[in-house]
Amino acid sequence: MLILRRNEHYRFQAMQAFVTVVEAGSFSAAARRIGVGQPAISKTIAQLEERLQVRLLVRSTHSLAPTDAGVRFYERARSAIREAEEAELEARGAGAGLSGRLRVSAATTFARLLIVPRLPQFLARHPDIEIDVLLDDRVIDLVSEGVDLALRMGELADSAAIARRIARGRRSVLATPDYLARAGMPLAPADLAMHEAIVYSQLGASWTFRRNGTEASVAVRGRVRLSAAEGIRAAVLADIGLTVNSDWMFAPELESGAVWRVLEDWELPPVDLWAVFPTGRFASAKARAFADYVESILAQ
């Protein structure tokens, strides 16, 4: 039989107090947030440090900051508190009325073209949710950045990541009509060797095509090499050359005809979109709902 001791309750309260102090930046600000007196907060933190036998905060006349041990404790305590809050929401069946702040990480161009314009519909469904969207092409640490959900394309670098595939996109050879009018229309993959290629650093300068069980690889050449999708878009739209990229990255231009697909009877390896959740904790109801929403809009 499990018996909850009183000091377990006080331990959780102390964790909440410490997290609030770190986030508020002072004892007085934390006391105002919690609704208690400043001496009570100071006493709670002192007792916490005494129990742990470690200094968690460095105090000065005008400010305080967590020590190295304090930073580690803060990260763990914040995660535990969020887990408890999510558990309560799940138990109450709060999935139909999600609330609170959701932090999402996504590649800049992908989010700008396909996610941000669709946010109004998600926000209308869940009026009590606030969304922070971190636009960054880098693979960031979800736990240290406090991210609930990352949308990542391609192969996952971390095989231990908690992730599920939510979409599979088409890759194509893409170019503007003006470039093709100037350089000619390639009719086979080998023809690409004679074209000016805009190379996406993440994919390299060797492109492999398949058709009816036949595989053809071509090493392309080009004077422009870029590390971000936004640069690839700008170079293509400036009629510099052709490129291989996901159709997602040129969705508006493909729809309007400003960019054409080339060699459509040949296939390139598709690109997967993954919903990645922080390792070491359950995916929140908010994060799962947003991943489901992105999956639904990309399936249209």
Side-chain angles (χ1 to χ4, degrees):
M1 179 179 179
L2 178 63
I3 300 176
L4 181 62
R5 297 175 297 174
R6 290 183 63 195
N7 65 343
E8 296 295 336
H9 173 66
Y10 294 142
R11 177 181 297 180
F12 192 75
Q13 283 187 325
M15 290 169 55
Q16 290 178 307
F18 178 74
V19 167
T20 305
V21 167
V22 173
E23 294 178 346
S26 70
F27 289 125
S28 57
R32 287 193 297 270
R33 288 189 185 184
I34 296 174
V36 300
Q38 180 177 331
I41 292 291
S42 300
K43 182 179 179 180
T44 298
I45 300 304
Q47 290 175 339
L48 178 63
E49 290 179 323
E50 182 180 356
R51 183 172 62 81
L52 296 177
Q53 292 294 295
V54 66
R55 178 64 63 88
L56 298 175
L57 294 170
V58 177
R59 303 161 179 83
S60 67
T61 305
H62 302 292
S63 65
L64 58 81
T67 62
D68 289 343
V71 170
R72 293 193 296 270
F73 184 78
Y74 167 77
E75 294 293 345
R76 293 283 190 170
R78 183 180 63 170
S79 177
I81 291 167
R82 292 179 66 178
E83 288 286 352
E85 291 172 346
E86 293 293 345
E88 288 185 1
L89 288 174
E90 291 284 354
R92 294 171 184 167
L98 302 177
S99 63
R101 186 172 299 276
L102 174 67
R103 286 173 63 82
V104 178
S105 170
T108 303
T109 304
F110 175 78
R112 180 177 69 79
L113 293 175
L114 298 173
I115 303 302
V116 176
R118 310 285 181 84
L119 287 180
Q121 296 94 314
F122 183 81
L123 293 172
R125 292 183 191 177
H126 306 287
D128 294 324
I129 282 184
E130 298 178 8
I131 300 181
D132 289 347
V133 183
L134 283 64
L135 300 179
D136 199 324
D137 291 341
R138 297 176 301 117
V139 175
I140 65 174
D141 184 275
L142 304 190
V143 175
S144 63
E145 296 287 342
V147 172
D148 300 292
L149 166 68
L151 300 174
R152 291 179 179 166
M153 283 184 285
E155 295 183 6
L156 295 180
D158 183 5
S159 60
I162 302 171
R164 69 179 177 91
R165 190 178 70 193
I166 58 175
R168 171 162 283 181
R170 175 181 180 180
R171 277 198 179 103
S172 302
V173 181
L174 303 164
T176 61
D178 286 347
Y179 169 78
L180 294 171
R182 182 178 79 241
M185 180 71 74
L187 302 178
D191 296 342
L192 297 176
M194 305 304 295
H195 278 261
E196 186 72 25
I198 301 166
V199 178
Y200 188 25
S201 301
Q202 296 184 30
L203 295 180
S206 179
W207 299 342
T208 301
F209 298 81
R210 293 182 179 86
R211 184 179 68 177
N212 299 329
T214 300
E215 187 172 285
S217 294
V218 56
V220 297
R221 61 177 181 83
R223 291 179 292 167
V224 177
R225 189 182 184 97
L226 295 141
S227 62
E230 198 69 22
I232 295 291
R233 278 179 49 82
V236 169
L237 297 177
D239 307 321
I240 292 175
L242 47 72
T243 194
V244 163
N245 214 305
S246 74
D247 288 8
W248 288 328
M249 295 298 99
F250 289 86
E253 291 78 19
L254 286 168
E255 185 175 353
S256 68
V259 167
W260 291 355
R261 295 185 185 92
V262 177
L263 300 176
E264 289 194 78
D265 54 341
W266 289 84
E267 291 184 0
L268 285 155
V271 57
D272 291 329
L273 178 69
W274 300 87
V276 184
F277 305 97
T279 303
R281 45 177 283 226
F282 292 110
S284 70
K286 295 188 293 288
R288 292 198 304 271
F290 193 76
D292 291 343
Y293 178 68
V294 173
E295 184 176 16
S296 69
I297 62 178
L298 294 181
Q300 295 174 2

